[in-house]
Amino acid sequence: MEGSAVWQGAVLGGILLWLFSSSYLNLTLKLRSFLQPFVIHYVQTGTPILLKIQSYRVGFLDALFSVLSCVVSVPFYTAFLPLLFWSGHGQLARQMTLLMAFCDYIGNCIKDVVSAPRPASPPVRRVTATKDEEENALEYGLPSSHTLNTVCLSGYLLHYVLTHTQIQGAYINYFGVSLACLFVALVGLGRIYLGMHSLIDVVAGLFIGLGILGLWLTVYECIDNFVVSGQNVTTFWAALSFLLLFAYPTPELPTPSFEFHTAFDGVALGIVSGVQQTYHQFHHDNVPRLFSSEMTIPVFMGRMLVGIPTILIVKFCSKTLAKWTIPVVANTLGIPIKSTTYIPTLNGAKTGEKSKAFDVDTGIRFLQYAGLAWSVVDLVPSIFSYVNL
């Protein structure tokens, strides 16, 4: 117990120390002034390569790379991960969720520190087939989040399949690694072909992703053991999530990157708190898994029909409750507030100078996604148990 409290305090204290020291030393601006000119140079000089790749434009490639971008996007993982939990693969689901949150934080921090532009359009042709891609285009370029996330998540999935299933053998390993490498290569090439990233963005995403994957494969068992059986798990993770909302660099110009980080920060908290409370009921290693005699496809379809509407209702309720409580608490404490999205009546100067006001959208977004994630691993499995699904 004492040892756990010591390292938890050390982690939180280290983040606080980093937060104050980086702010005092103005590290973001110093790093940006060093890195940004270098990256911009390679973005600009790499434009002929992009134009050469795009000269092979055909409708099939537009569709292929647009679909690949959707398959490895944050909204896709957000929709896919609940199904993974409900299919009985609890360890894989929680590890991929936490890894996704970590990748999102690291990748978006680097984006906003460097604040390097995407390829200029025109002359580069940028294809944004979905609203999600249009939002992605508003972020800075380096590193390519799609490439980074694909390296980490496909790498961890391959590791899980090869170590936790009966699929074994040298040829299987070779095939799996080859397939993962091909998938990463297609995603990276697709980001260039669609005009969303320069070559340096994709290369940076590849190497940063490999670094994160190597680190995760070293520590994931310790993290998982802590989440399912540690001491002060929910309290520690709530404090960690709160600090990570502030331990984030200020970009040169506003982008959606911080919003994405806030959402996954909330998701990680909801998953961890829910799993920690209900692990022995719904998420242990012996729960029924999809395609077993205890969980047939009709049963899983029933879970989807019950679970998806439930988590959407919880998300809506969490958002509504947060929109009401956060302004009340802030006003009670005398904290000036503003809202750029969720509460139009606060989008003005009456609540205080905007430069000094707290944006309640951050808290609302954080709480609604935390509530959604908690319902995925706690409320919804409880309903499954009640209705025998």
Side-chain angles (χ1 to χ4, degrees), residues 102-253:
F102 187 53
C103 290
D104 186 76
Y105 175 70
I106 297 297
N108 286 343
C109 278
I110 296 174
K111 279 181 188 287
D112 285 350
V113 166
V114 179
S115 294
R118 293 176 183 265
S121 177
V124 172
R125 178 184 61 96
R126 183 169 296 158
V127 180
T128 53
T130 64
K131 184 179 179 181
D132 177 59
E133 281 286 79
E134 293 175 0
E135 292 182 352
N136 289 337
L138 300 176
E139 295 184 285
Y140 288 111
L142 184 137
S144 165
S145 296
H146 282 69
T147 306
L148 189 158
N149 293 340
T150 303
V151 169
C152 290
L153 296 177
S154 61
Y156 180 78
L157 178 60
L158 176 63
H159 170 78
Y160 181 88
V161 169
L162 295 180
T163 57
H164 290 77
T165 67
Q166 296 180 349
I167 304 176
Q168 302 289 336
Y171 289 107
I172 296 296
N173 294 348
Y174 177 78
F175 176 76
V177 171
S178 300
L179 188 62
C181 290
L182 176 62
F183 187 49
V184 171
L186 286 174
V187 170
L189 178 61
R191 302 312 286 166
I192 295 174
Y193 175 87
L194 296 174
M196 294 295 289
H197 285 287
S198 298
L199 179 61
I200 189 173
D201 301 338
V202 173
V203 172
L206 173 64
F207 283 101
I208 293 171
L210 288 172
I212 293 175
L213 177 62
L215 174 63
W216 196 262
L217 292 178
T218 303
V219 303
Y220 80 93
E221 289 184 337
C222 296
I223 294 174
D224 201 59
N225 289 336
F226 171 69
V227 169
V228 302
S229 60
Q231 301 288 336
N232 305 318
V233 176
T234 301
T235 303
F236 167 76
W237 211 281
L240 175 64
S241 299
F242 180 76
L243 287 179
L244 290 181
L245 293 176
F246 296 91
Y248 190 90
T250 302
E252 196 168 54
L253 295 172

Side-chain angles (χ1 to χ4, degrees), residues 104 108 135-136 139 256-265:
D104 186 76
N108 286 343
E135 292 182 352
N136 289 337
E139 295 184 285
S257 297
F258 179 67
E259 298 175 8
F260 300 152
H261 157 61
T262 301
F264 253 99
D265 193 21

